Amino acid sequence: MTFGEQPAYLRVAGDLRKKIADGQLPPHTRLPSQARIRQEYGVSDTVALEARKVLMAEGLVEGRSGSGTYVRARPVPRRISRSGYRPTGGATPFRQEQADGEGRGTWESSSEQSEASVAVAERLGVEPGERVMCTRYLYRESGEAMMLSTSWEPLTVTGRTPVMLPEEGPVGGMGVVERMRAIDVIVDNVTEEVGARPGLAEELLVLGGVPGHVVLVIQRTFYASGRPVETADVVIPADRYRVAYHLPVK
């Protein structure tokens, strides 16, 4: 194979992918059988099988037991806004977005004390094993699971204070900035790193999806005078949502 030349299975997958995108193979249409692919493209069974595997890994097709492989309906991506974390009224960005427009979002959460893992400890600037408050969120839009979030706050900051539990107390549910301000901790910076990876089995079970589906992961950390006071992983299905940032110009 010369430089720049694609393997046969990628060329076959690319042509089938184009037919799906162009509507020649619309949603719910059965993908040509392995024998048909072999005959139409003049390739071996192995090449035909690998091409189908590529399309399945990309989430373009799905196997149905005893029936064959079918083109998946592709959802139209919807937007999730990230607003800089200073929305009017102290609400979190998700709550503010749902209050503004026609959003019909709901959420549920649970909090428990745990020990910081090595990765979480590094992000919070604490020692591994230090006690943190771990809060898990599931956000829904019109009843459909749309986003997961797991946050960690060092109990050296919030322990034995009215804001120790993020969703309870006098400012429960108001977001990190407002909650920290209530205990005289002034958040002055936030960072977000956006990446993508295959979703974990337990994530896809909740969010809907099949093994191999890609999720967007936003690693967010709030700082007060350079000290991390909260860090979180936000997980979003990449095939159903796009993340839009609205950043003020200073």
Side-chain angles (χ1 to χ4, degrees):
M1 184 173 65
T2 60
F3 177 76
E5 182 182 354
Q6 284 188 322
Y9 77 94
L10 288 182
R11 294 200 302 272
V12 173
D15 189 68
L16 291 171
R17 185 190 302 114
K18 184 176 184 299
K19 289 180 177 179
I20 292 172
D22 292 346
Q24 297 179 52
L25 290 172
H28 311 298
T29 298
R30 186 174 179 177
L31 195 71
S33 66
Q34 189 168 314
R36 177 74 179 275
I37 293 175
R38 183 188 64 212
Q39 180 181 11
E40 182 175 344
Y41 293 95
V43 296
S44 67
D45 280 333
T46 299
V47 168
L49 178 61
E50 290 301 314
R52 289 157 63 92
K53 286 182 178 179
V54 167
L55 298 177
M56 193 167 291
E58 292 175 351
L60 295 175
V61 301
E62 60 185 354
R64 298 180 185 174
S65 180
S67 179
T69 304
Y70 291 79
V71 177
R72 293 184 65 244
R74 301 291 290 174
V76 177
R78 286 167 282 178
R79 179 176 296 174
I80 292 178
S81 296
R82 312 293 289 174
S83 60
Y85 301 96
R86 292 189 182 274
T88 304
T92 64
F94 179 79
R95 287 170 168 80
Q96 185 69 20
E97 182 184 2
Q98 295 300 320
D100 289 345
E102 298 180 355
R104 290 170 292 176
T106 59
W107 52 89
E108 52 202 67
S109 66
S110 63
S111 297
E112 63 179 358
Q113 294 189 33
S114 64
E115 295 182 353
S117 67
V118 173
V120 168
E122 182 178 358
R123 288 161 58 176
L124 287 175
V126 300
E127 292 296 321
E130 185 168 316
R131 302 296 291 177
V132 295
M133 183 62 69
C134 176
T135 303
R136 293 179 172 85
Y137 294 88
L138 168 60
Y139 296 94
R140 301 182 187 273
E141 182 182 50
S142 300
E144 179 186 88
M146 61 175 290
M147 183 167 64
L148 298 172
S149 177
T150 304
S151 70
W152 299 270
E153 296 178 352
L155 288 175
T156 51
V157 176
T158 62
R160 300 178 183 274
T161 74
V163 304
M164 186 173 72
L165 294 171
E167 294 295 315
E168 298 182 18
V171 289
M174 294 298 289
V176 175
V177 175
E178 291 296 323
R179 290 177 47 251
M180 293 297 168
R181 183 181 291 124
I183 57 173
D184 297 323
V185 175
I186 306 303
V187 172
D188 53 19
N189 192 26
V190 58
T191 64
E192 289 195 348
E193 294 184 10
V194 183
R197 60 166 170 77
L200 303 178
E202 54 267 30
E203 293 168 342
L204 296 175
L205 181 65
V206 175
L207 293 171
V210 298
H213 273 195
V214 173
V215 295
L216 299 174
V217 181
I218 302 172
Q219 288 190 358
R220 179 197 69 202
T221 304
F222 284 99
Y223 296 86
S225 300
R227 179 185 184 181
V229 295
E230 191 255 22
T231 192
D233 285 342
V234 182
V235 179
I236 304 166
D239 64 334
R240 284 186 275 142
Y241 293 94
R242 296 290 181 267
V243 179
Y245 283 85
H246 301 276
L247 305 177
V249 177
K250 295 183 178 180

